[in-house]
Amino acid sequence: MTMEKRAPEIRGDENSFRKDFIIILLLVFFSSTLLLYRLGDRSLWGSEGRWAEAAREMLASSDYLTPVINGTPYLDKPCLSYDMILAFTPFTGGKVTELSARLPSAVSAMAALLLLYGMGKKLYDRETGFLSALILGTSFYFVFWGRTASADIINMTGVLLSLWIFVRFEAAPSRGWLYLFYLSMALNSLTKGLLGFALPMVVLFPYAWVRKQWGWLLNRHTLPAWLLAALVYLIPFFLDFTRSGSTDSIYLVFKENILRFFDPFDHKQPVYFYFYEIFAIFVPWALFLPGALIHHLRKQRPLNDPTWFAILYFCALFVFFTLSGSRRSYYLLPLFPAASLIIGRSWSELMNHPVRGWASLAQVLIPAGLLTLIMGAASILLFLQPSFLKPYEAFNPGRHAWGAAIATAGLILSLRFYAGSKVKHFVALVVAVVFSVNLYCFFVLLPAAESFRGLRGFCSKVNRMHISQDHLAVLHQWREGNLYFYLDQIPVRRIDDPEEARRFLQNPENYLLIEEKHKKEIPGLGPDQIFLQETSSPFKKDDAERFSLIRGRSA
């Protein structure tokens, strides 16, 4: 081939690279804004404390295999998600902080957007990949968990990575990519359990069955790739066994994965739970999901059409989680990329081939209209401040009504764009409004609510008292990672017997940390013994979980 003939190809490659580079920069910029800005400001909440405290105690003991909370092994999840927190401690002064605890989730969420862009581009085109990434990146629940210390977003990204490897390399003449594919599942399984292995296969088995293409599974590389993945997965458990002689970590894999699926011991919800919960958690884009599915399914598509992959990706995971006996809303996070891909593709086709009539109603007008009505109703309620908002008056709801009103106006304008056949303007404005609402929620509303949370300040006062380890104890707190994380002492003596706690308080030098709901368990506990008390939230009428520091007194 002459240089003259190759020149257009080179220019085309350079132009394609430039477009990809610009899109990646845009995704990194907008995702870092939502996911990284002020990430460490808020104090820990809920299960965040377990991840942060387990990592803090692993760092203190230099034991990077066994998660521990208050000196007690906490083996509910494998070690890798905690080790990922420790990997970020060099950026936070060598300590586990709120920021380092949340960074693995935030970075994983950013990686998920890039992977989804790559998957959408490979399956369809650059426009579909970009739209899909924007939809995922502006889903409120995605951003929320991307700013939360946990393994759930990490697991979602791990599943997406395995499926991206499959989509990217399935057609390759060599099957060497299978080693990377199975290795990605093994590493993901070390963050949240066997779902790292199960979920990609739940998608790919029906996909292969529909297309009658099993070459990626039935070949000479599969067995050694599986063995390598199994070896990598089992190494931490083997090291833990050789050191402790205990098989508890392996048993908990069975309990938390197999037993929880078939015979759950908690998180029990009705079988139809996810059919309505998807609309509550995949906000606001779940409103557009039924119309997008109708748009795709009403078309006659060959079995090799990539849309079947996106639909099976979503449906297979949805069925899997529905069949599981244990159900929680955030379990559905791994199917968010599939839902985003389905909607992103439908919007891409809509921008290039606008529709009218009933198809337009289902795909655009009804969901966009509902979103506008919901936002408009929110702004009206915030302006009027009816009686059921009275518990939140300290939050000053009226001040936030203007934000909801501006968002409503933006959505109304987007509908006018659609009515005027300016579909690209409609899509751009809806995404911009949702992005802005996310910014307002995470950088205005949640920081305002933080001022009413008192545990971090309460523990700081306890730390300044420099109570010796022999004279401080806590009642009924096994997995309360948030409390332990904010206390300097490792470990804190834990008392579970109220009678033992009563005897402990007979020494005037002793102090007991206790929640409001447990005070009645200790007879004779007087109000004069309350030395410190956590600030009560104005949003809770009876804050039963508020901590107090009780000082002992002579019998």
Side-chain angles (χ1 to χ4, degrees):
M1 183 181 291
T2 64
M3 289 297 295
E4 290 79 3
K5 291 181 179 179
R6 291 182 58 192
E9 293 182 12
I10 294 173
R11 285 195 295 269
D13 291 340
E14 290 177 350
N15 188 46
S16 178
F17 175 80
R18 188 180 300 110
K19 289 180 179 179
D20 285 334
F21 183 71
I22 292 172
I23 289 175
I24 289 171
L25 280 182
L26 288 173
L27 289 175
V28 169
F29 172 75
F30 111 84
S31 62
S32 61
T33 301
L34 279 177
L35 295 165
L36 296 180
Y37 179 65
R38 300 184 66 178
L39 182 61
D41 286 6
R42 295 181 66 233
S43 56
L44 301 175
W45 69 275
S47 62
E48 278 194 307
R50 296 201 287 271
W51 261 268
E53 179 58 15
R56 183 174 80 118
E57 296 192 32
M58 290 169 77
L59 181 64
S61 65
S62 299
D63 179 352
Y64 305 116
L65 289 175
T66 308
V68 172
I69 294 179
N70 199 41
T72 302
Y74 177 71
L75 304 174
D76 286 26
K77 300 292 183 291
C79 61
L80 188 56
S81 60
Y82 308 104
D83 291 330
M84 292 174 70
I85 293 173
L86 298 180
F88 284 99
T89 54
F91 302 101
T92 54
K95 299 179 181 179
V96 176
T97 66
E98 293 92 344
L99 178 59
S100 59
R102 292 167 178 155
L103 273 172
S105 292
V107 173
S108 295
M110 294 174 66
L113 299 184
L114 300 181
L115 288 169
L116 187 59
Y117 167 67
M119 179 180 285
K121 181 188 173 187
K122 179 67 177 177
L123 291 172
Y124 298 107
D125 50 45
R126 186 177 286 109
E127 182 179 75
T128 299
F130 185 50
L131 284 172
S132 301
L134 289 177
I135 289 167
L136 178 62
T138 51
S139 166
F140 180 85
Y141 217 58
F142 172 84
V143 180
F144 179 81
W145 285 100
R147 296 178 63 88
T148 297
S150 77
D152 296 286
I153 281 287
I154 299 170
N155 177 61
M156 183 209 77
T157 303
V159 173
L160 180 57
L161 172 62
S162 299
L163 293 175
W164 175 84
I165 293 170
F166 175 85
V167 168
R168 176 66 178 81
F169 297 107
E170 183 201 10
S174 170
R175 297 295 182 184
W177 59 271
L178 286 171
Y179 295 92
L180 183 61
F181 172 69
Y182 288 114
L183 184 60
S184 70
M185 292 193 291
L187 292 174
N188 191 25
S189 295
L190 286 173
T191 65
K192 193 173 168 64
L194 294 177
L195 288 176
F197 283 114
L199 296 184
M201 290 305 184
V202 165
V203 175
L204 295 180
F205 274 124
Y207 184 60
W209 180 79
V210 167
R211 299 189 308 155
K212 302 295 187 290
Q213 295 181 7
W214 298 94
W216 63 274
L217 183 65
L218 305 176
N219 61 80
R220 63 186 177 88
H221 293 284
T222 298
L223 181 59
W226 261 114
L227 291 174
L228 175 63
L231 176 64
V232 169
Y233 175 72
L234 291 173
I235 283 175
F237 299 99
F238 174 75
L239 293 175
D240 181 61
F241 174 75
T242 56
R243 184 183 56 182
S244 66
S246 171
T247 58
D248 288 349
S249 56
I250 286 290
Y251 169 72
L252 278 166
V253 170
F254 169 78
K255 177 184 176 183
E256 289 289 323
N257 294 270
I258 311 300
L259 184 62
R260 187 185 286 277
F261 187 93
F262 292 103
D263 187 18
F265 46 88
D266 59 2
H267 309 327
K268 297 179 182 180
Q269 296 290 348
V271 70
Y272 53 82
F273 175 66
Y274 291 133
F275 284 90
Y276 62 82
E277 191 67 13
I278 185 70
F279 292 97
I281 61 175
F282 192 45
V283 176
W285 305 118
L287 293 172
F288 295 88
L289 185 58
L293 284 169
I294 292 171
H295 166 79
H296 292 307
L297 293 174
R298 70 187 180 90
K299 292 185 175 182
Q300 294 292 329
R301 300 178 184 273
L303 290 180
N304 62 351
D305 189 298
T307 301
W308 290 117
F309 176 83
I311 292 175
L312 283 171
Y313 183 177
F314 177 83
C315 293
L317 294 186
F318 191 89
V319 170
F320 175 85
F321 288 118
T322 298
L323 292 177
S324 171
S326 181
R327 303 179 184 97
R328 300 196 80 177
S329 59
Y330 58 80
Y331 288 177
L332 290 186
L333 278 168
L335 58 77
F336 277 24
S340 302
L341 196 58
I342 290 169
I343 299 169
R345 182 56 184 171
S346 73
W347 280 13
S348 178
E349 292 180 353
L350 181 68
M351 289 193 296
N352 293 291
H353 306 286
V355 296
R356 289 291 181 263
W358 74 268
S360 178
L361 282 173
Q363 193 174 349
V364 177
L365 295 178
I366 291 177
L370 280 173
L371 182 58
T372 305
L373 287 174
I374 292 169
M375 189 62 68
S379 64
I380 292 171
L381 288 174
L382 289 172
F383 273 122
L384 296 178
Q385 298 186 41
S387 58
F388 67 83
L389 288 180
K390 189 171 180 60
Y392 303 95
E393 61 185 0
F395 206 52
N396 194 5
R399 186 183 66 173
H400 305 294
W402 288 106
I406 293 170
T408 304
L411 292 171
I412 292 172
L413 180 58
S414 73
L415 287 170
R416 294 200 59 173
F417 280 142
Y418 185 79
S421 298
K422 298 179 179 179
V423 181
K424 291 185 178 180
H425 291 73
F426 160 78
V427 170
L429 188 53
V430 170
V431 171
V433 168
V434 174
F435 177 73
S436 301
V437 170
N438 273 283
L439 288 176
Y440 194 85
C441 287
F442 289 102
F443 304 135
V444 177
L445 294 180
L446 289 183
E450 177 65 21
S451 61
F452 301 110
R453 302 177 65 210
L455 182 60
R456 182 164 56 181
F458 170 77
C459 290
S460 178
K461 292 177 182 177
V462 174
N463 291 332
R464 288 198 295 270
M465 293 175 64
H466 302 292
I467 304 171
S468 69
Q469 200 160 16
D470 294 336
H471 295 293
L472 180 66
V474 60
L475 180 67
H476 294 326
Q477 296 295 322
W478 174 46
R479 306 201 316 176
E480 182 49 59
N482 295 327
L483 174 71
Y484 295 131
F485 179 79
Y486 287 118
L487 292 174
D488 288 341
Q489 293 185 15
I490 302 176
V492 179
R493 177 182 174 184
R494 192 182 88 237
I495 298 175
D496 292 316
D497 180 13
E499 177 59 26
E500 182 184 349
R502 186 188 66 79
R503 292 195 301 268
F504 178 78
L505 287 174
Q506 290 177 351
N507 184 342
E509 295 184 4
N510 289 346
Y511 293 86
L512 181 71
L513 290 160
I514 184 172
E515 285 182 304
E516 195 73 28
K517 60 188 177 185
H518 296 308
K519 285 182 179 178
K520 60 181 179 293
E521 298 179 22
I522 304 178
L525 192 65
D528 59 308
Q529 290 181 264
I530 300 176
F531 190 80
L532 283 177
Q533 206 160 29
E534 181 185 354
T535 303
S536 180
S537 169
F539 310 128
K540 297 180 180 179
K541 186 177 180 180
D542 182 19
D543 195 350
E545 296 181 350
R546 179 173 58 156
F547 278 98
S548 297
L549 181 67
I550 307 299
R551 179 167 49 187
R553 64 182 176 188
S554 300

